[in-house]
Structure formats: structure tokens, C-alpha cells
Amino acid sequence: MINIRPFREEDNDALLNIEKLCPQGNEEYAMVIDKGPDITARYELYDNWEIRVAEKDATAVGWIGWTIKQGTDEPYLYIAEVMVHPDHRRQGIAVELVREAERAAAEVKASHIYSYVYEPNEAFMNLFDKMGYMREKNIQVISMSAYKKEDVKAGYELERINPEDIHEAVKLLNDYYHGNTHFTPFSTESFRDYAEKILGYGLENFIVAKWKGHIVACAGLWDTSVLMEVTYTKEPMMWKFMTNTYGILRHFVSMPRIPGEGEVCKLHSIVDHAFEQEHSHAMEDILKYCNNLMYDTNCEFFGAYTDPDDPIIGIMKKFKPMYEKLYLYAKPISGKVPDFNRMHVDCRDTIL
Ligand SMILES: CC(C)(COP(=O)(O)OP(=O)(O)OC[C@H]1O[C@@H](n2cnc3c(N)ncnc32)[C@H](O)[C@@H]1OP(=O)(O)O)[C@@H](O)C(=O)NCCC(=O)NCCS
């Protein structure tokens, strides 16, 4: 008999242990995430959150976590994770957990629920298919390795943001993401509060590029390893092939690196990027600057989660990245699923 109840602090270790047994993916391609030591740390990035634990004979066997966000008109709910212990799968526990989120969404008259599915995670996709969610969008996941120093020489002034310049960066961000679904324009104060609330980010990691004294590009470099460590437990054949090829070529020229199977990766994320279209070199310079910071501190892997039509992808291509995908699944609750044609990816959602 399954009982679903609110999270209690003493669940922490049990849930972390379950997550370690829960690679997301299939037999050929999967990753496992370690969010130790605090399962709730990733939820503290949001204004509100809820975890419901499924227990069997008073033992935690799974959980779901979500946050409710305020849209321009109506609230909507993001399902951050659903995990079920491998010994208790295919008994309908995940269905019951997702129903909990749907009830919470209905209570606040949320327009819709959305969630991300890592591309090889067929079980999670089938779960959403079964429950009437639709795959609305592919999100591009781009991972780069800081395998060599880059020359930053396009002539822009690069600096960590000066608090007096925040309003200018906010204007650039608001213009860049104007009209994108799930984007709520920032004010100077709201951007400061948001960046400072995110562990491993903060305004000291927000870089701007100036041209003639004006900000024309910006991005944050977020150390997500303070919230999660990622290990690929199974890698696609193509990656293994590339690892071998790059390994041979590395004797002659510097080549990007691909994480090894079983290697614990501490990742950084490029977040809140924006640039004026005629200053794409400024964005490129910021990426090079971040690359060099990573290189100098022996942190190898950094990346971004973006709308596939975001022009930053063309710039990131130059860094010989690896590409993966997340699928956005959504379901209407008290309103409609919005048009995801062009959307803003909330970086806090990418702690998978
Ligand atoms: C995805 C997951 C949560 C499903 O949990 P579960 O309790 O076994 O799921 P349910 O028993 O409620 O299954 C509901 C439906 O999902 C689909 N499904 C679940 N597991 C599946 C699998 N291994 N293969 C294919 N479809 C699957 C099926 O359609 C299933 O309905 P059915 O049993 O009538 O065929 C679980 O496999 C898990 O914890 N995976 C690892 C963690 C993860 O990837 N979480 C999602 C990202 S945070």
C-alpha cells in the first residue's frame, strides 16, 4: 500500500540514496545525478517548492518535486523531478506522484504543467505520454570543454558587472527575451535578487562586454557543481568513437574532451546570456573569457541549455561542443499550454 505525504527533513538521506540508484536514460545512454548533501538545495533557488514522498511500509520509495511560477496572467507548475526506487517500479507510483502535482496545479488554477525529459529517458517519456502530456519542444543542451586557452581580442571591455550597470544589462536581457514564453521581464531589483539567490552564481559571476562604454553582451557563469554532480553511467557509441579519435589527434593538436563513462563531472553553466545582434563578437569574447576562467581553474566542462533558435548556438559552435537534447513535455490544467515556438529556459530548471 502506497502512502503519499509531504517531505520531512529526515527523508534527506533516503532520497539522496534513491537518486544515486536512478540513472536517467536507457541501457546505452544514461546519466546519474548526485545532489548531495542536501536534496532540497536545488528547490531553494525558487520562491516556493513542494516535495511529496511516496512510502511503502513507512519506507520512502520515491518522490516528486515541483515549484509554482507566476506567469504574466496565470501561474504554471514545473515538475522538477520524479524518482522511484528501482525495486518498486511499474507499480503505478510515478503516476500517483504526478497526479499529486496535477492536483496542486488545479488548486492554484495553474494554466499548465511542464517538465523536461532527458533525451534517452524513454521510461519518463512513456509516463508523460500515458498521462496525456505532449512533447512540445526540444531544448538544445550544449557542452563545451575548456581544452585550450582562447585569445580574447575583439576589442570589447570585459568585466564583472558593476552594480551601477545592472539596469543596462537588465534592459539587454529584457529586449533579448522579449515575447519568449516563460520569460518574465526583470527589474534591476528582481534581477539582483534572483542572481544572488542562486547558489554558485551571484552578480560576481555575471560578465558584461562593453562597446564605447555601453553593455552590448552579457552572461553569467554559474558553478552548478555546488548543486549537482553528473556522471554518465552509459555513453553512446558515438561518444566513445569520438573519445578515441580525439585521443589520437591530441598527440598533434589540442582537441576537446568528452567526459569518460563513470567520470564525475563538475559542470558550469552559461546562463542569462544576451547580446545585440551586431555584437556577436562580444558574446564570443565573453564565452572565451569564461573558457579561460575554466581552463585556469581546471574546471573542464561548461555549457548551456537554450531554445534551438537562439543565435548563441551559432557562436558556441566554434568551441567544438557536444550536443544533447531535453524534451519539454506539457499539459493544460486550468488554461492552455502556451506557444513554445520561442521560449526562455529558466536556468534553475536545468538542475535535472
Ligand atoms: C520514470 C520513473 C519515475 C517511472 O516510475 P514508475 O513508478 O516505475 O512508473 P509507473 O509504474 O507509474 O509507470 C507509469 C507508466 O510509465 C511508463 N513507464 C514506466 N517505466 C517504464 C519503463 N521502464 N519503460 C517503458 N515505459 C515505462 C509506462 O507507460 C507505465 O505504464 P504501464 O506500467 O502501464 O506500462 C522511474 O523509472 C524512475 O525513477 N526512473 C529513474 C529516474 C528518472 O529518470 N526520473 C525522471 C527524471 S527526474
Side-chain angles (χ1 to χ4, degrees):
M1 178 65 184
I2 295 293
N3 174 39
I4 298 183
R5 59 159 174 82
F7 171 80
R8 299 192 287 252
E9 262 175 47
E10 54 268 33
D11 293 321
N12 188 58
D13 292 355
L15 303 197
L16 285 171
N17 287 334
I18 294 175
E19 183 153 34
K20 288 191 190 120
L21 302 172
C22 286
Q24 301 184 34
N26 57 33
E27 289 74 33
E28 284 105 44
Y29 178 13
M31 61 155 179
V32 75
I33 296 200
D34 183 348
K35 298 204 191 83
D38 182 359
I39 197 87
T40 59
R42 65 86 50 97
Y43 291 96
E44 301 292 348
L45 310 181
Y46 298 107
D47 298 333
N48 66 78
W49 57 272
E50 188 75 42
I51 294 177
R52 297 275 161 88
V53 176
E55 59 180 12
K56 217 177 190 180
D57 304 326
T59 303
V61 294
W63 80 95
I64 186 168
W66 67 76
T67 178
I68 296 172
K69 303 185 184 186
Q70 188 52 52
T72 344
D73 301 319
E74 299 149 315
Y76 55 97
L77 185 148
Y78 170 61
I79 295 181
E81 55 197 358
V82 188
M83 299 273 165
V84 175
H85 189 292
D87 294 346
H88 300 277
R89 294 202 181 143
R90 299 309 280 265
Q91 297 169 23
I93 296 176
V95 168
E96 281 310 310
L97 289 166
V98 173
R99 294 248 181 274
E100 289 279 312
E102 293 182 352
R103 273 191 283 276
E107 259 169 41
V108 296
K109 299 206 167 27
S111 56
H112 65 285
I113 292 183
Y114 77 103
S115 189
Y116 293 117
V117 181
Y118 183 45
E119 59 181 315
N121 197 346
E122 285 138 25
F124 202 30
M125 266 180 259
N126 288 344
L127 169 73
F128 278 140
D129 284 340
K130 180 174 171 163
M131 299 190 71
Y133 289 70
M134 299 291 285
R135 191 202 286 188
E136 297 282 345
K137 175 112 189 156
N138 297 352
I139 300 299
Q140 189 74 65
V141 183
I142 305 176
S143 312
M144 297 168 283
S145 69
Y147 64 99
K148 62 171 176 151
K149 279 271 227 197
E150 299 281 353
D151 271 347
V152 184
K153 58 178 181 198
Y156 293 94
E157 275 173 67
L158 297 189
E159 59 192 41
R160 290 169 196 261
I161 194 156
N162 180 330
E164 282 156 25
D165 291 340
I166 298 174
H167 69 282
E168 219 188 308
V170 160
K171 180 169 183 326
L172 185 62
L173 284 164
N174 288 348
D175 288 349
Y176 193 81
Y177 295 106
H178 175 75
N180 284 17
T181 293
H182 285 182
F183 180 66
T184 307
F186 290 110
S187 66
T188 305
E189 292 70 33
S190 73
F191 184 68
R192 189 189 294 121
D193 293 350
Y194 147 89
E196 293 298 341
K197 197 175 162 102
I198 299 180
L199 199 63
Y201 182 15
L203 289 176
E204 71 275 17
N205 294 308
F206 191 71
I207 320 291
V208 296
K210 286 184 173 174
W211 180 251
K212 295 184 179 165
H214 291 291
I215 296 176
V216 292
C218 62
L221 181 63
W222 176 24
D223 178 2
T224 58
S225 70
V226 296
L227 291 167
M228 65 165 178
E229 289 179 345
V230 177
T231 305
Y232 289 95
T233 50
K234 292 280 174 207
E235 290 190 347
M237 286 310 288
M238 181 47 113
W239 292 15
K240 290 181 182 158
F241 172 74
M242 281 162 65
T243 302
N244 290 337
T245 313
Y246 286 176
I248 296 165
L249 292 174
R250 205 168 285 125
H251 293 296
F252 310 103
V253 53
S254 28
M255 291 299 292
R257 207 166 77 73
I258 293 172
E261 211 168 76
E263 178 182 347
V264 178
C265 299
K266 294 175 185 288
L267 308 173
H268 284 58
S269 245
I270 300 288
V271 298
D272 301 317
H273 66 272
F275 59 100
E276 291 181 3
Q277 296 310 309
E278 60 277 28
H279 288 289
S280 61
H281 287 296
M283 191 71 242
E284 190 174 333
D285 266 5
I286 290 182
L287 294 177
K288 286 178 173 173
Y289 177 89
C290 293
N291 175 88
N292 294 351
L293 282 177
M294 300 285 295
Y295 186 88
D296 289 340
T297 49
N298 288 326
C299 297
E300 267 180 288
F301 299 105
F302 67 120
Y305 296 75
T306 70
D307 186 296
D309 291 328
D310 190 314
I312 198 169
I313 294 177
I315 303 171
M316 287 186 164
K317 234 186 227 164
K318 299 178 187 169
F319 292 77
K320 301 198 179 77
M322 280 168 38
Y323 298 98
E324 294 175 90
K325 278 194 208 93
L326 295 181
Y327 300 126
L328 183 148
Y329 275 74
K331 180 177 178 176
I333 299 293
S334 299
K336 277 200 224 147
V337 165
D339 177 0
F340 285 107
N341 189 31
R342 191 68 194 263
M343 74 166 290
H344 174 251
V345 179
D346 180 343
C347 71
R348 299 169 298 182
D349 299 351
T350 62
I351 303 296
L352 294 175

